[in-house]
Amino acid sequence: MTHAEAAITLPPLESTEGLFRLLHLWVARGWLRPLDEALVRFFAERVAMADPLVLLAAALTSHQLGHGHVCLDLAQALLEPDFALSLPPEGEASLNSEVLPSVVLARLDLASWRQALLASPLVAEGTGGERSRPLVLSGNRLYLRRYWNYERAVDVALRRRLAEASEAPADLPERLGALFPEQVPGHVDWQKLACALATRAALSIITGGPGTGKTTTVVRLLALLQGPRVEANRPLRIRLAAPTGKAAARLTESIGLQVQGLNVAPAVKARIPTEVTTVHRLLGSRPGTRHFRHHRGNPLPLDVLVVDEASMIDLEMMANLLDALPASARLILLGDKDQLASVEAGAVLGDLCRDAEQGFYTAQTRAWLEAIAGESLAAAELSEGRADEHALAQQLVMLRYSRRFGEGSGIGELARCVNQQRPEDARRVLADRAFEDVATCRLQGEHDQALERLLLNGAARGTSGARGYRFYLGVLREQRPAATADLADPAWLAWAGNVLQAFDSFRLLCAVRKGPWGVEAVNQRATRALYASGLIESDHHWYEGRPVLMTRNDYGLGLMNGDIGIALRLPEAEGSSRLTLRVAFPRNDGQGGVRFVLPSRLTDVETVYAMTVHKSQGSEFEHTALVLPDALNPVLTKELIYTGITRARRWFSLIEPRPGVFEEAVRRRVRRLSGLMLEPAG
C-alpha cells in the first residue's frame, strides 16, 4: 500500500473529500479515467453537499460508458466490483489494499445506495423524472441522461415499428415459392422464413454467421417487397447502408451479383438498388458536430432501409438513424450477433438478438409460417414464446447453415468451437492436420522470427498456398504500367485496383494496440521485416507500397475512418511521365474504381500492416493471422477471437506468444449492460 493509500484508513465514502482522494488513486492506478473523475467534480461543484454515494455511482456510470456499457447496474456492481471498474482478470485482486473496489463497495448495500440516488437533485427516476437532471435511475440501472434518452428513443421507435402491421400481398405463398423453388425435406429454409416474416411489420432482423446467406436473403426479400409495387407502378424507394466504407463496398459487390441471378422480371430487378452507402453519408454528416442533415424534421426520402453489419452500430447512431426514418418506412437489420459489438457504447444488435438462438415464436407465428411459407418448425427444437414477452422474436430470424464453411472446413469448425466457448475442442481443431485451412504459430519469445516468415510469405503449418505481404508487393512491382504512360491512361487505375485487391489477400490482426504484440509494435516489426527483405524502399514515413488506415473522418477528402489506401508512384500530371507518390483509395461511393490523394493531404493516417480486430469488422481477407498478446487483457473475449477467425475466407493462422491465453480468452465473453427492450412498453 502506498503512503497516499494508507491515508485512507476510515471509510472514504463519508465525505466528498475522502471520495475524491479515492477516485484520484483509482485514476493513478488506471482503474478510472481522468474524464470520470472530472465529471464527478463538475457535479459536486453544482450541488451543495453532494452525497458521496451519488458521486461514486456517477463516476462508475461514466467509467462503464467508456467501456461500452450504456448504464451502471448497481446490483451487479456490488456483486462484481472489479467488473464495475473493468479491472484485468488477474493481478489486482492479490493487492491487500483498502482502495480496491471489492473492499470499497463491500461497505455498501443496494437499498441504501438506491435511496441516496433517489434523494439526490442530480438524479431523476425513470421516464417520469425531472428532465434537467444529469443522471437517471431506472430500477437498478443508472444512466447518464444523454444515453438514457438514446436508449428510450431506440426502444420506443422499435416497439412502434413492431406494432405497425404491414399488408402482405395476397399471393405471398406463390411469390415465396418462386423465389425459393428448391426445397429439401426435413430441412428448415431459414432464408425463406426470414423473407416471409419481414413482410408482416415495419421492422425485421436477420442474423447469422459468415456464409449463412444474409445477403442472398435480403436481395430476395427486396424482390418480394418490390414485385407487387412495380406491377402496380408504385415502386418502393429502397436504400442500402453499412457502418463503414469497407463494409459498404463489400455489400455493393455482393448484392450486385445476387440481383443479376434473381428469377424475377427485369422491371423488378431494375428497381432493386445495388449501391450501398455508409450510414454517415446516408444521414448527411455535419462536420464538427454530432448532428446530421436528416432527422425527424427532415426525414430520409425512402420507403425501405436495409442496414448491413448492424453489430457495428452503437446506441447513439441507431438513435439518429431511427430518428431520421419516416414513420411509414420499413427497417431491415442484418448482422452477425456473435461478432464484436460497436466500439462506442451499446450493443444494439446483440440486445435485439437475445432470443435468436431459442426462437421463441408463438403458436400463432408458427401456424402463419407453416401456412404462408410451407415450412414446419417442428424439428427445429425452438422454445415457444408468448406474444407479450417475445414480441421482437416474432420479427427475428437466425440463419443457421453456413455455405462458406462446409464439411472439412477448419475455419468453420474453429469458429463454432470458439462461439460455443469450447476452448479444448478449438485447440484440437488447430492441431488437427486434416484441416488444411487453419494453423497455429507458437512463438518462442519476443524475437522469434517465425512471425516475420509468416507475414512475408503466409507460410504456416497446414496453410498450404496461403499468402503474406510479399504477394501484394509482387503485384505492385510486376504489373506496373510502362513509365511513359500518363495519368489519364486507364492502366494506372487498373494497376492501383489490382494492388489494393492483392493487399486484401493477407492481414495481421491484433487484439490490442499497445505492448509488444499490439498494433503499434507489430506494424513496426512488419515494416522492418519488409525493408530488410528488400520489398519496400524505406522503413519510415512515406514510401511506395506503404498501406495506410484513415483514423478519423475527413469530409473534405471524402474519406472515412477505417478506409485503407496504398502509396504508389504515379505520373505527376496528365501528359507527364515523371512519377510522384500518391495514395490510392478504393472508391466507396458505390461506383467502384480508385481515387488518388497526395500524401501531404493525409494528416490522420497510420501504417496498417496490422490492425485491431475491431477495425477489421466489415472486412474479409483471403488469409488472416490473429496475433494474441502474451497476457490476458479485458478485451480478450470469445467475441474478439470469433470475429478475428471469421475475417478469413480461405486460411487462418493463430499467432501465440504465450500458451494458455487463447483458451482463457475463449472462456470469457463480452458483457454490455443496457436496458434496451427490457423496460415495460409504454
Side-chain angles (χ1 to χ4, degrees):
M1 188 185 306
T2 68
H3 176 72
E5 290 167 357
I8 303 181
T9 55
L10 296 174
L13 305 182
E14 293 183 348
S15 69
T16 54
E17 182 183 352
L19 174 70
F20 286 138
R21 290 205 308 272
L22 174 71
L23 297 184
H24 187 71
L25 290 170
W26 282 359
V27 170
R29 280 194 166 178
W31 298 348
L32 202 67
R33 302 177 302 169
L35 174 66
D36 308 324
E37 182 187 10
L39 178 67
V40 171
R41 290 187 180 275
F42 174 81
F43 287 161
E45 289 171 1
R46 279 151 182 79
V47 177
M49 303 296 292
D51 191 325
L53 288 178
V54 174
L55 297 178
L56 173 64
L60 294 176
T61 302
S62 175
H63 182 78
Q64 289 282 76
L65 186 64
H67 286 77
H69 306 284
V70 175
C71 58
L72 171 73
D73 187 314
L74 301 176
Q76 197 69 31
L78 295 179
L79 285 173
E80 298 180 83
D82 288 351
F83 178 69
L85 278 178
S86 307
L87 297 192
E90 59 182 17
E92 301 291 4
S94 63
L95 293 173
N96 181 19
S97 171
E98 289 189 29
V99 302
L100 279 171
S102 55
V103 176
V104 173
L105 295 184
R107 300 165 179 164
L108 306 182
D109 68 87
L110 181 60
S112 299
W113 208 2
R114 291 191 78 255
Q115 184 178 1
L117 288 163
L118 291 173
S120 172
L122 291 169
V123 182
E125 185 176 11
T127 54
E130 173 58 52
R131 292 175 180 269
S132 64
R133 297 184 177 185
L135 298 169
V136 179
L137 182 65
S138 177
N140 291 331
R141 297 190 302 277
L142 184 66
Y143 297 78
L144 295 182
R145 164 67 65 180
R146 183 150 59 90
Y147 284 86
W148 163 260
N149 290 342
Y150 289 147
E151 187 173 279
R152 289 302 91 209
V154 170
D155 193 289
V156 169
L158 292 178
R159 290 182 191 275
R160 185 180 296 129
R161 291 181 184 282
L162 280 175
E164 187 175 324
S166 297
E167 186 176 346
D171 58 349
L172 181 57
E174 291 76 18
R175 291 181 183 273
L176 279 170
L179 287 167
F180 295 90
E182 57 285 336
Q183 278 194 312
V184 180
H187 178 91
V188 177
D189 192 337
W190 295 103
Q191 295 184 16
K192 188 177 183 181
L193 295 183
C195 288
L197 285 180
T199 64
R200 304 198 313 170
L203 171 68
S204 57
I205 303 167
I206 302 170
T207 187
T212 51
K214 295 187 292 293
T215 305
T216 301
T217 304
V218 81
V219 168
R220 295 187 188 185
L221 170 56
L222 294 179
L224 186 66
L225 297 174
Q226 191 68 284
R229 295 292 295 265
V230 168
E231 292 164 11
N233 201 27
R234 293 186 298 114
L236 294 165
R237 297 169 298 170
I238 300 173
R239 294 296 303 274
L240 312 173
T244 66
K246 190 70 176 179
R250 270 189 54 219
L251 184 59
T252 295
E253 181 181 0
S254 175
I255 213 162
L257 294 172
Q258 294 284 350
V259 169
Q260 292 307 311
L262 275 176
N263 183 26
V264 296
V268 176
K269 280 187 188 181
R271 289 292 185 169
I272 299 176
T274 57
E275 178 183 335
V276 185
T277 186
T278 64
V279 174
H280 277 85
R281 286 194 179 104
L282 177 76
L283 293 177
S285 299
R286 288 182 170 172
T289 77
R290 306 178 83 101
H291 305 296
F292 296 91
R293 186 163 53 86
H294 289 289
H295 46 75
R296 187 174 305 174
N298 181 31
L300 292 161
L302 53 79
D303 301 305
V304 178
L305 175 62
V306 176
V307 182
D308 194 22
E309 297 287 355
S311 63
M312 300 168 65
I313 297 183
D314 61 84
L315 182 67
E316 180 179 358
M317 180 56 74
M318 185 61 77
N320 284 317
L321 190 63
L322 289 167
D323 187 55
L325 273 185
S328 59
R330 291 178 185 266
L331 176 63
I332 301 164
L333 299 177
L334 304 177
D336 185 346
K337 69 179 180 62
D338 296 313
Q339 276 192 181
L340 278 170
S342 58
V343 175
E344 302 298 329
V348 177
L349 186 70
D351 288 342
L352 300 183
C353 292
R354 292 187 187 106
D355 295 337
E357 297 276 356
Q358 297 95 329
F360 285 117
Y361 297 126
T362 63
Q364 292 85 350
T365 296
R366 289 170 181 254
W368 186 86
L369 285 171
E370 187 162 340
I372 296 297
E375 294 285 329
S376 172
L377 294 174
E381 298 182 356
L382 302 178
S383 301
E384 185 165 338
R386 290 172 44 184
D388 56 340
E389 292 181 358
H390 303 103
L392 183 62
Q394 312 315 303
Q395 291 302 119
L396 168 63
V397 172
M398 178 177 169
L399 307 181
R400 299 165 189 260
Y401 306 117
S402 176
R403 291 158 178 80
R404 182 189 305 169
F405 305 134
E407 294 295 325
S409 166
I411 295 174
E413 186 60 28
L414 182 63
R416 280 188 288 274
C417 292
V418 167
N419 203 24
Q420 295 167 10
Q421 294 187 283
R422 296 186 281 124
E424 291 77 13
D425 292 337
R427 176 61 66 189
R428 281 192 283 272
V429 172
L430 287 166
D432 192 338
R433 293 182 177 273
F435 294 118
E436 298 183 351
D437 55 347
V438 296
T440 183
C441 178
R442 285 274 180 88
L443 301 181
Q444 305 299 317
E446 220 171 288
H447 304 291
D448 191 331
Q449 292 296 298
L451 175 59
E452 278 73 8
R453 289 191 292 273
L454 186 141
L455 70 88
L456 285 171
N457 305 311
R461 193 277 305 155
T463 53
S464 175
R467 293 164 172 167
Y469 286 132
R470 188 184 296 275
F471 175 69
Y472 94 92
L473 292 166
V475 171
L476 186 156
R477 288 193 312 272
E478 296 160 13
Q479 297 185 18
R480 183 194 303 276
T484 54
D486 65 41
L487 191 56
D489 192 320
W492 290 109
L493 287 172
W495 171 64
N498 289 342
V499 174
L500 286 165
Q501 185 177 11
F503 182 64
D504 279 349
S505 293
F506 175 70
R507 194 62 41 86
L508 289 166
L509 302 182
C510 297
V512 296
R513 287 198 59 85
K514 303 293 184 181
W517 307 106
V519 164
E520 294 173 5
V522 172
N523 265 320
Q524 293 172 6
R525 191 162 172 171
T527 304
R528 288 195 300 268
L530 293 167
Y531 179 64
S533 300
L535 295 172
I536 57 176
E537 61 193 9
S538 174
D539 59 356
H540 65 281
H541 206 52
W542 287 104
Y543 53 85
E544 186 171 46
R546 181 192 177 194
V548 293
L549 173 79
M550 293 292 297
T551 57
R552 68 192 325 181
N553 296 338
D554 188 323
Y555 297 99
L557 293 175
L559 295 172
M560 298 291 112
N561 184 2
D563 286 353
I564 290 177
I566 297 178
L568 300 173
R569 279 206 177 87
L570 298 156
E572 194 171 64
E574 292 186 13
S576 171
S577 61
R578 181 178 174 183
L579 301 181
T580 189
L581 212 58
R582 284 188 172 88
V583 183
F585 286 93
R587 290 189 179 276
N588 292 329
D589 54 8
Q591 304 302 312
V594 177
R595 56 179 304 196
F596 301 118
V597 180
L598 288 170
S600 59
R601 300 189 67 189
L602 298 172
T603 56
D604 298 300
V605 294
E606 63 185 23
T607 302
V608 69
Y609 294 113
M611 65 196 303
T612 62
V613 176
H614 269 101
K615 286 283 189 182
S616 75
Q617 290 187 95
S619 299
E620 289 181 346
F621 313 102
E622 289 288 303
H623 180 194
T624 299
L626 176 61
V627 184
L628 296 182
D630 57 0
L632 281 175
N633 182 289
V635 305
L636 281 175
T637 61
K638 68 104 171 174
E639 287 85 359
L640 182 136
I641 304 294
Y642 170 83
T643 303
I645 293 168
T646 54
R647 298 313 89 205
R649 279 196 297 263
R650 296 183 62 188
W651 300 285
F652 173 78
S653 299
L654 180 69
I655 301 173
E656 299 182 271
R658 200 197 85 183
V661 172
F662 171 77
E663 285 81 358
E664 284 303 311
V666 172
R667 292 188 182 100
R668 298 162 59 203
R669 63 184 307 158
V670 169
R671 293 163 60 192
R672 288 281 178 98
L673 301 180
S674 86
L676 186 61
M677 303 299 280
L678 291 178
E679 294 287 329

